[in-house]
């Protein structure tokens, strides 16, 4: 299939279907990406880059359809909240020295130091 | 067929075997709103489990572009079409979306893949409505999207002048998929050799290759098409949920239950995987502080994939906010409106739990929240929004703390060079 054209006789092939969607769903998609990545710590320049890059198909499509001005407005709306803070992860205190096993490669595969032979 | 309780459907249904449930069930939540289809999960799985000869077409984990993508091609459209043929006009949900633990999405009035088999298939040994994809339908993990096909008729050559990815004139989203390790697996139901079993300790569905004779009944029956046939060994294979990691027996795990490879590789931080405690009737036992329980049963932002198929899948999805509701309701059932609304404007606890996603490779069994002061109050997109400096603490199986996340206002330290430049 990937090397040929869709077969119009195949009842399961997607030939042409109507997908409901409008400018609002595009705006909502852009807002979602802006919020999610702002919450992950992206700043304004990084977010704008996310939208400008054609490799990010969803975000770039929104940028093409809505335009840079609207995307900048969406970004600034998201950063108004999510740009003020950042989420910080702190790992729990490590276990006392010697209690954790260390991996080494011996023979056919990994074994644990301290394991009985 | 036996009668079993399916809480996704809000009713009993037919299944070839009597219900048997594990102590705990392998389950996961994927947040579609964050998936950018980087395919890191796909490659993590591929490089761990399916890199050998004869497995070239196998992608136990894949990410497909919806609505038009699929692996194998059009898998969901085909099975929905078959059910529509078996029960024309009858595939609908009734009742109301509620906060109940059993039947939270109302009641499904149509036929599942097992019930449709009762009325449409002959002989009696046919237990599940399904289909066997053709070889070429398995050829791409995300057809027409991430698979540049090159010049027509020219194989194995790069395009000299480059090519462009398709431009979509409408909405779309990325759907990450693995085996759902269903509570009522269709693959298990269909296997004439009884080679497929569900582990009593964690509900992971495995295929015993010693018992398998490669009849491909599981491939035909699994509606999600996550059982695959390997030609050079002549037996079928499927996702094993990286069970050594989940058990804590993988050398890397140091005896602690870990999330699977596809979860651990997710750079978009869309995934959270764990083990859900089950009641005797197969419903999730109340486990208020388990993040999966909270997302599925309290916040109800995570919904099962195509619950109407009847296998009671254990993969749950936070639906994408921007996609038209009718499409999402077909895919995730009637709970979509509520899930999207709650996710869009998360409350204090949901915001904390969403910050547990992908912060650690170890499985989170419990979380606690230490409430902090209010740090922001304002309006966001026309609604009042308040943010607190709460700390969410994750605990492992042994009750020990794994990590904690909190909110900080970024602190910018001016360098000496510019110390007095204001």
């Amino acid at each position: 299939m990937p090397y040929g054209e869709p077969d119009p006789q195949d009842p399961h092939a997607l030939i042409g279907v109507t997908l409901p969607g409008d400018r609002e769903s595009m705006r909502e998609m852009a807002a979602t990406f802006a919020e999610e990545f702002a919450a992950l710590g992206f700043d304004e320049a990084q977010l704008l880059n996310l939208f400008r890059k054609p490799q990010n198909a969803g975000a770039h499509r929104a940028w093409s359809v809505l335009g840079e001005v609207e995307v900048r407005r969406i970004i600034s709306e998201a950063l108004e909240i999510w740009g003020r803070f950042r989420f910080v992860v702190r790992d729990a205190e490590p276990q006392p020295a010697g209690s954790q096993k260390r991996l080494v490669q011996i023979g056919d595969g990994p074994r644990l130091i301290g394991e009985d032979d | 067929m036996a009668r079993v309780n399916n809480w996704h459907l809000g009713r009993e249904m037919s299944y070839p075997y009597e219900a048997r449930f594990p102590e705990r069930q392998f389950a996961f939540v994927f947040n579609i709103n964050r998936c950018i289809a980087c395919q890191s999960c796909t490659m993590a799985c591929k490089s761990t489990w399916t890199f050998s000869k004869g497995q070239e077409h196998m992608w136990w984990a894949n990410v497909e572009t919806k609505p038009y993508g699929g692996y194998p091609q059009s898998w969901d459209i085909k099975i929905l079409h078959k059910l529509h043929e078996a029960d024309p006009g009858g595939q609908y949900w009734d009742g109301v979306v509620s906060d109940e633990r059993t039947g939270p999405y109302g009641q499904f009035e149509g036929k599942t893949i097992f019930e449709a088999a009762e009325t449409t298939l002959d002989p009696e040994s046919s237990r599940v409505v399904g289909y066997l994809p053709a070889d070429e339908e398995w050829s791409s993990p995300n057809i027409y999207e991430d698979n540049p096909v090159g010049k027509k008729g020219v194989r194995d050559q790069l395009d000299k002048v480059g090519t462009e990815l398709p431009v979509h004139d409408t909405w779309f989203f990325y759907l990450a998929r693995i085996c759902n390790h269903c509570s009522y697996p269709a693959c298990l139901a269909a296997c004439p050799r009884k080679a497929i079993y569900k582990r009593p300790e964690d509900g992971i569905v495995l295929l015993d290759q010693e018992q398998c004779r490669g009849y491909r009944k599981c491939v035909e029956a699994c509606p999600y098409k996550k059982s695959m046939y390997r030609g050079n060994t002549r037996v079928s294979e499927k996702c094993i949920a990286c069970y050594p990691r989940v058990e804590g027996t993988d050398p890397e795990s140091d005896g602690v239950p870990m999330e699977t490879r596809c979860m651990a590789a997710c750079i978009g931080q869309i995934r959270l995987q764990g083990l859900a405690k089950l009641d005797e009737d197969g419903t999730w036992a109340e486990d208020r502080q388990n993040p999966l329980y909270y997302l599925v049963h309290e916040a109800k932002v995570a919904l099962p994939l195509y619950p109407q198929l009847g296998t009671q899948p254990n993969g749950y999805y936070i639906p994408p906010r921007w996609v038209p509701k009718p499409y999402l309701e077909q895919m995730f059932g009637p709970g979509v409106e509520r899930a999207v609304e709650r996710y869009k404007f998360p409350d204090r606890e949901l915001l904390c739990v969403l910050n547990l996603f992908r912060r650690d490779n170890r499985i989170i069994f419990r979380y606690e929240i230490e409430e902090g002061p209010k740090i922001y109050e304002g309006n966001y997109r026309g609604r009042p929004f308040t943010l607190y400096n709460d700390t969410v603490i994750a605990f492992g199986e042994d009750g020990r703390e794994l990590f904690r996340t909190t909110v900080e206002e970024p602190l910018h330290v001016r360098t000496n060079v510019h110390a007095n430049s204001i």
Side-chain angles (χ1 to χ4, degrees), chain B residues 59-70:
Chain B
W59 302 90
W60 292 355
N62 77 297
V63 182
E64 55 200 45
T65 310
K66 287 296 177 194
Y68 36 79

Side-chain angles (χ1 to χ4, degrees), chain A residues 1-2 12 20 25 28-29 32 35-36 40 58 61 77 81 84-90 92 95, chain B residues 34 73 139 149 168-169 171 269 321-322 324 343-344 355 380-381 387 401-406 408 410:
Chain A
M1 282 291 186
H12 294 306
S25 43
E28 188 63 25
M29 178 170 78
T32 307
E35 280 174 40
E36 296 290 349
L40 290 177
R61 184 68 194 149
E77 192 177 46
I81 289 186
R84 290 166 178 262
F85 318 102
R86 65 180 172 200
F87 294 99
V88 180
V89 185
R90 290 197 184 91
Q95 296 167 38
Chain B
R34 280 186 179 174
Q73 193 177 358
S139 57
V149 295
H168 312 298
D169 284 329
W171 54 270
Q269 305 185 0
R321 287 166 32 180
W322 61 88
Y343 182 74
K344 214 163 151 182
N355 271 301
Y380 185 61
R381 309 186 81 200
L387 193 63
E401 180 180 329
L402 300 175
F403 65 89
R404 55 180 62 204
T405 69
T406 187
E408 267 185 11

Side-chain angles (χ1 to χ4, degrees), chain B residues 20-87:
Chain B
R20 292 281 299 278
F21 302 106
E23 292 166 31
R24 297 187 298 191
Q25 175 61 54
F26 172 92
F28 57 86
V29 171
F30 290 175
N31 182 358
I32 296 178
N33 294 282
R34 280 186 179 174
C35 185
I36 54 170
C38 65
Q39 305 284 5
S40 298
C41 52
T42 310
M43 293 314 298
C45 178
K46 187 76 181 163
S47 59
T48 308
W49 300 115
T50 61
F51 54 80
S52 300
K53 194 172 179 182
Q55 294 179 306
E56 292 85 353
H57 66 298
M58 282 190 192
W59 302 90
W60 292 355
N62 77 297
V63 182
E64 55 200 45
T65 310
K66 287 296 177 194
Y68 36 79
Y71 167 78
Q73 193 177 358
S74 308
W75 63 273
D76 48 352
I77 295 168
K78 289 190 176 188
I79 191 64
L80 291 174
H81 185 69
K82 284 202 160 287
L83 288 174
H84 171 73
E85 279 180 337
D87 185 23

Side-chain angles (χ1 to χ4, degrees), chain B residues 149-334:
Chain B
V149 295
K151 289 276 186 290
K152 190 168 172 59
V154 182
R155 312 256 328 230
D156 306 324
Q157 273 189 32
L158 293 175
D159 194 318
K160 302 267 187 315
V161 292
T163 187
E164 287 184 356
L165 288 172
V167 172
H168 312 298
D169 284 329
T170 185
W171 54 270
F172 62 98
F173 64 95
Y174 298 116
L175 184 72
R177 299 200 303 121
I178 62 170
C179 168
N180 289 298
H181 296 276
C182 305
S183 296
Y184 302 113
C187 56
L188 184 154
C191 180
R193 295 276 304 168
K194 296 191 176 172
I196 300 178
Y197 61 102
K198 206 165 161 60
R199 303 208 315 173
E201 61 268 41
D202 51 24
I204 290 172
V205 177
L206 294 181
L207 192 157
D208 184 345
Q209 293 184 306
E210 295 286 316
Q211 295 296 319
C212 179
R213 291 291 178 273
Y215 299 151
R216 285 182 270 190
K217 286 290 178 186
C218 56
V219 183
E220 182 182 345
C222 174
Y224 303 99
K225 294 292 168 248
K226 281 298 177 189
S227 191
M228 297 154 200
Y229 179 70
R230 183 169 175 179
N232 62 344
T233 58
R234 298 183 183 177
V235 293
S236 295
E237 297 181 3
K238 67 177 288 301
C239 159
I240 59 169
C242 296
Y243 69 81
R245 289 171 69 95
V246 175
E247 288 171 349
T249 53
D250 183 291
E252 195 193 349
S253 69
D254 201 20
V256 176
M258 289 181 85
E259 294 194 345
T260 64
R261 287 276 291 127
C262 59
M263 312 286 167
C266 178
I267 62 165
Q269 305 185 0
I270 80 159
R271 295 169 176 234
L272 186 73
Q273 176 239 307
L275 294 162
K277 287 183 195 164
L278 295 188
D279 273 336
E280 281 182 1
D281 65 353
T283 55
W284 287 26
E286 187 164 346
D287 190 7
R288 181 64 180 75
Q289 297 307 119
N290 181 311
L292 293 178
Y293 182 90
Y294 172 78
L295 293 164
V296 173
H297 282 293
E298 290 292 328
K300 291 187 166 60
V301 293
L303 303 169
L305 179 65
Y306 290 115
Q308 67 269 42
L309 301 176
T311 62
Q312 204 171 286
N314 289 298
Y316 293 83
Y317 292 82
I318 301 178
R321 287 166 32 180
W322 61 88
V323 173
K325 300 295 182 298
Y327 184 85
L328 291 179
E329 277 167 2
Q330 177 179 259
M331 184 171 266
F332 301 112

